[in-house]
């Protein structure tokens, strides 16, 4: 019993000794990508740091960075976080901090660029000062930082369905076809029968999406258009390219997403479109699994109650609705533009918090002269 009591006393003493230098303040919280793990630096008298490491039982190596300035670099082993050590040692020496990760301001190494032949022209993705059309010189790093996102966050996912609601899109385009959404049940490659509504969604043969352009806007009955959303003007294909032109395939341009599924939904024809056609197009995208909707279109004047009713269903389903601010060079706070202005509007007691209004900027990071704007909208 005496030996047991003595052992417990020794253990208690060691625990007390181990914890005596620990700070009562919450440990500093570093994001993993901000620091090099299990490393810190300090300046000043190293005796308190050596004593702390010994008392905590932390195995470490201390490298002298400058004997004259008393600057030291510590690499250690164990489970103690860098944030905890920095917090514990604050005030015990001249300074103590994590070994922080430093990044270059712009990704410029050409070896890291995707192989797409026209990528060097895409200043919006990687601006190294290249000129835009008409010769406007660029401003380095005035871009979307997509190369940094690709390397540190994501290159996209083929689980994400983006509806390109526009003039349709060229689903056969060699730079797009691998990232086009396919309604598998309607596809003949999977046993779909031409002329039959194989998936029961109310649309026959909608393999890549649907065309909602009304042939006769005053006389159509039922669902207008046809199951072929092929783009005949290029605008929707251009938008699709920005979203998901396949990077690193040696041709064309690079989209923001290496992997994505783009649903082609056409409602804009030669004469534009209508609120009824827009309503039907957005409803189709919602009912068929779109998670994000790209809408590079809009109009002025009075907004549509019919369209807002559908937009509320889009909101309730948690779908992000991205809308162009417009290209009139005017203030949307004063002259409303729809559907982008819905982002600031209340409808049936609730605001549309799923609408993202997007303006345009140039390669010098200033608003494009044609772009609409608005402090509130």
């Amino acid at each position: 019993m005496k030996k047991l009591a003595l052992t417990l006393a020794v253990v208690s003493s060691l625990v007390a000794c181990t914890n005596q230098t620990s700070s009562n303040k919450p440990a500093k919280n570093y994001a993993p990508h901000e620091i090099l793990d299990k490393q810190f630096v300090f300046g000043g008298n190293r005796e308190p740091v050596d004593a702390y490491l010994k008392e905590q039982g932390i195995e470490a190596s201390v490298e002298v960075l400058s004997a004259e300035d008393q600057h030291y670099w510590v690499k250690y082993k164990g489970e103690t976080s860098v944030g905890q050590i920095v917090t514990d040692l604050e005030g015990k020496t001249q300074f103590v901090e994590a070994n922080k990760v430093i990044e270059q301001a712009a990704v410029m190494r050409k070896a890291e660029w995707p192989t797409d032949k026209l990528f060097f022209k895409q200043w919006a993705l990687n601006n190294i000062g290249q000129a835009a059309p008409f010769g406007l010189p660029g401003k380095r790093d005035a871009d979307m930082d997509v190369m940094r996102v690709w390397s540190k966050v994501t290159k996209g996912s083929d689980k994400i369905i983006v509806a390109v609601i526009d003039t349709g899109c060229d689903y056969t385009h060699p730079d797009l076809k691998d990232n086009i959404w396919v309604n598998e049940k309607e596809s003949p490659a999977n046993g779909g029968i031409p002329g039959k509504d194989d998936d029961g969604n109310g649309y026959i043969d909608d393999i890549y999406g649907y065309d909602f352009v009304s042939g006769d806007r005053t006389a159509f009955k039922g669902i207008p258009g046809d199951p072929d959303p092929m783009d005949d003007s290029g605008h929707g294909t251009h938008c699709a390219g920005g979203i998901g032109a396949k990077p690193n395939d040696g041709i064309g341009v690079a989209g923001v997403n290496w992997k994505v599924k783009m649903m082609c939904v056409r409602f804009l024809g030669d004469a534009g479109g209508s609120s009824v056609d827009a309503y039907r197009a957005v409803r189709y995208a919602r009912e068929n699994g779109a998670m994000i909707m790209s809408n590079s279109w809009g109009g002025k004047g009075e907004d549509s109650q019919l369209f807002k009713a559908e937009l509320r269903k889009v909101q309730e389903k948690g779908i992000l609705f991205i809308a162009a601010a417009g290209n009139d060079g005017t203030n949307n706070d004063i002259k409303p533009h729809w559907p982008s202005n819905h982002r600031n509007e209340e409808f049936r007691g609730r605001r549309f918090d799923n609408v993202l209004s997007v303006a345009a900027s140039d390669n010098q990071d200033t608003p494009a002269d044609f772009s609409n704007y608005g402090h509130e909208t």
Side-chain angles (χ1 to χ4, degrees), residues 333-352:
D333 293 348
I334 299 172
K335 296 181 178 180
H337 177 273
W338 313 107
S340 59
N341 267 46
H342 288 317
R343 72 167 296 275
N344 203 43
E345 185 181 23
E346 187 173 295
F347 178 68
R348 296 176 183 174
R350 182 181 174 189
R351 288 183 178 274
F352 288 111

Side-chain angles (χ1 to χ4, degrees), residues 3-239:
K3 288 184 177 180
L4 177 58
L6 179 61
T7 301
L8 290 173
V10 171
V11 171
S12 299
S13 176
L14 289 172
V15 170
C17 178
T18 300
N19 292 331
Q20 69 180 3
T21 58
S22 183
S23 171
N24 292 323
K25 295 187 295 184
K28 281 186 175 293
N29 185 22
Y30 294 108
H33 67 273
E34 293 177 340
I35 62 171
L36 294 175
D37 195 28
K38 304 291 190 296
Q39 298 185 29
F40 67 94
V41 295
F42 70 93
N45 186 359
R46 66 176 283 179
E47 289 183 4
V49 177
D50 289 338
Y52 169 84
L53 294 173
K54 183 178 180 180
E55 290 165 356
Q56 298 295 322
I58 298 174
E59 182 182 347
S61 62
V62 182
E63 181 175 330
V64 179
L65 294 175
S66 171
E68 179 183 358
D69 297 322
Q70 291 186 296
H71 291 165
Y72 303 93
W73 176 23
V74 181
K75 290 180 280 186
Y76 68 93
K77 298 179 180 179
E79 299 301 319
T80 308
S81 70
V82 176
Q84 184 64 62
I85 291 177
V86 169
T87 299
D88 290 346
L89 289 176
E90 281 182 339
K92 293 181 171 61
T93 188
Q94 189 180 71
F95 70 86
V96 59
E97 62 188 30
N99 188 7
K100 300 171 183 176
V101 172
I102 306 298
E103 296 181 348
Q104 58 190 32
V107 178
M108 294 170 53
R109 293 187 294 273
K110 196 169 183 178
E112 296 180 356
W113 290 11
T115 60
D116 308 85
K117 291 183 178 179
L118 299 177
F119 181 78
F120 72 96
K121 291 187 175 184
Q122 293 185 265
W123 58 263
L125 271 61
N126 186 47
N127 195 332
I128 59 172
Q130 64 268 57
F134 310 110
L136 182 67
K139 178 182 178 182
R140 191 178 297 273
D141 207 32
D143 54 40
M144 294 188 286
D145 279 336
V146 294
M147 292 185 68
R148 188 171 300 168
V149 174
W150 288 344
S151 65
K152 295 186 176 298
V153 184
T154 182
K155 290 183 176 179
S157 169
D158 55 12
K159 305 298 183 186
I160 302 299
I161 301 173
V162 179
V164 182
I165 303 174
D166 212 283
T167 60
C169 54
D170 183 356
Y171 46 81
T172 66
H173 194 292
D175 220 3
L176 300 178
K177 59 185 179 63
D178 289 345
N179 283 335
I180 294 293
W181 172 80
V182 175
N183 187 352
E184 299 293 349
K185 291 183 179 180
E186 293 284 352
S187 174
N190 294 316
I193 300 173
K196 180 182 177 182
D197 182 8
D198 298 281
D199 60 355
N201 69 348
Y203 303 89
I204 297 172
D205 298 337
D206 56 322
I207 299 172
Y208 305 110
Y210 209 83
D211 173 9
F212 290 93
V213 176
S214 301
D216 183 342
R217 298 186 190 285
T218 62
F220 68 79
K221 295 180 180 181
I223 298 174
D226 58 67
D228 184 9
M230 176 59 75
D231 184 7
D232 60 5
S233 73
H235 185 264
T237 299
H238 169 74
C239 294

